[in-house]
DNA sequence: ATTAATATTTGTAATGAATACAAATTTAGA
DNA sequence: TCTAAATTTGTATTCATTACAAATATTAAT
């Protein structure tokens, strides 16, 4: 799937900036923040403005080519994967890990629907200590 | 369960301010923000400071007598119910509804544990249109 | 009861991510 | 080419949250 066509199919005019931001999001599945995207792209597009990053990401979310991840209190993160999937934030290294979902029924979903609410978005967030960080802590102790 | 004992059991010294904030959280299960709590309590405790609200809520979360709900991008919400349960935010009226969870296994949890991560917190968020708001919209059309 | 040490609260200043806004630039159409 | 619309940019602003230090309250020691 090429970025140009993908944006067009979602009614987003593929400008240089939009292509670059979508390209970055698609090739870096690390759930970057607006700031991280700006720092990554600004060397190659020196005129790039942070406002454009914010505007574009908002547009991407509206048009359904990205989702906003609010697992981190401090910063909004973004994900080119728009499918419903779980996220795990390591409180030590701040990395965000993906976890895919097997069952179709999400917890509490049926109850909410039975009460007559209409669900448009679903998010599953976990926080804790990732394997990598846990191993680092163990190595410290065994030295 | 009385508030005084409850705070003590969780190693929180029950000051007037802390009692009031815990009392409010416990009796208003509407997932209030720091600002809402301040506006509600400041008439009865005129010297109350907003900083105290923030400090106290942070302490409550640390000591496990409240949880922080980050379903709303704009404001942090708080909940005296510390059990893992789902939340539904209506994007029209901004009310946050509870939904209780039947199954013990949360989506993606097993996968994350198998990868060696240690999960400490779990959050399930939904967004959409609540029944009340949907009915209001229907009434508008049929007039 | 005084005093001193500690804990808590308060008010104000600072932070910083996100937004508002208007000017500048680019793109598309006549 | 000329014009209008769309997009981008830079700067100013917002506002929830935090930092900090002074003020007050609580507890412990003398
Ligand atoms: Mn993801
Ligand atoms: Mn709740
Ligand atoms: Zn980690
Ligand atoms: Zn509603």
């Amino acid at each position: 799937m090429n970025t140009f066509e993908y944006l067009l199919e979602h009614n987003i005019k593929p400008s240089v900036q939009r292509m670059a931001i979508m390209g970055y999001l698609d090739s870096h599945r690390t759930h970057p923040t607006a700031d991280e995207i700006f720092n990554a792209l600004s060397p190659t597009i020196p005129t790039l403005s942070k406002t454009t990053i914010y505007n574009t990401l908002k547009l991407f979310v509206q048009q359904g080519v990205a989702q906003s991840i609010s697992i981190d209190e401090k910063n909004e993160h973004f994900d080119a994967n728009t499918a419903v999937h779980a996220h795990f934030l390591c409180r030590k290294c701040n990395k965000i890990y993906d976890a895919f979902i097997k069952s179709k029924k999400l917890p509490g979903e049926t109850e909410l629907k039975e009460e007559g609410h209409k669900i448009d978005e679903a998010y599953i967030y976990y926080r804790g200590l990732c394997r990598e960080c846990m191993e680092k802590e163990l190595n410290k102790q065994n030295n």
Side-chain angles (χ1 to χ4, degrees), chain A:
Chain A
M1 161 62 89
N2 87 67
T3 309
F4 192 92
E5 293 293 335
Y6 184 64
L7 292 182
L8 273 183
E9 279 168 24
H10 290 83
N11 300 311
I12 298 167
K13 200 175 288 180
S15 69
V16 173
Q17 291 85 346
R18 288 170 180 175
M19 286 283 290
I21 295 168
M22 188 71 250
Y24 185 85
L25 262 188
D26 197 40
S27 56
H28 298 79
R29 297 294 178 117
T30 52
H31 314 94
T33 63
D35 205 59
E36 286 166 353
I37 298 172
F38 176 78
N39 291 331
L41 297 182
S42 106
T44 39
I45 310 177
T47 62
L48 187 63
S49 159
K50 204 169 275 186
T51 301
T52 300
I53 308 276
Y54 279 109
N55 289 343
T56 303
L57 289 170
K58 177 164 286 181
L59 178 70
F60 283 1
V61 172
Q62 282 169 357
Q63 300 298 84
V65 298
Q67 69 169 307
S68 158
I69 307 294
S70 50
I71 196 173
D72 170 9
E73 316 269 45
K74 301 261 166 265
N75 299 79
E76 196 174 0
H77 292 256
F78 295 90
D79 195 340
N81 180 359
T82 55
V84 175
H85 61 285
H87 288 103
F88 172 82
L89 170 70
C90 173
R91 269 198 320 273
K92 192 75 172 284
C93 66
N94 286 308
K95 273 210 265 289
I96 297 173
Y97 295 84
D98 282 319
F100 296 98
I101 290 170
K102 286 150 194 166
S103 71
K104 321 231 176 286
K105 292 280 167 203
L106 297 175
E109 200 187 10
T110 315
E111 183 186 323
L112 289 165
K113 282 181 178 169
E114 277 170 3
E115 280 171 11
H117 307 314
K118 186 172 162 292
I119 296 175
D120 294 323
E121 303 165 59
Y123 302 93
I124 315 226
Y125 298 138
Y126 298 102
R127 294 202 199 118
L129 198 63
C130 80
R131 183 177 68 180
E132 223 179 309
C133 286
M134 222 142 59
E135 286 169 353
K136 275 182 192 165
E137 280 201 355
L138 284 176
N139 286 336
K140 266 188 203 165
Q141 293 173 348
N142 301 346
N143 278 353

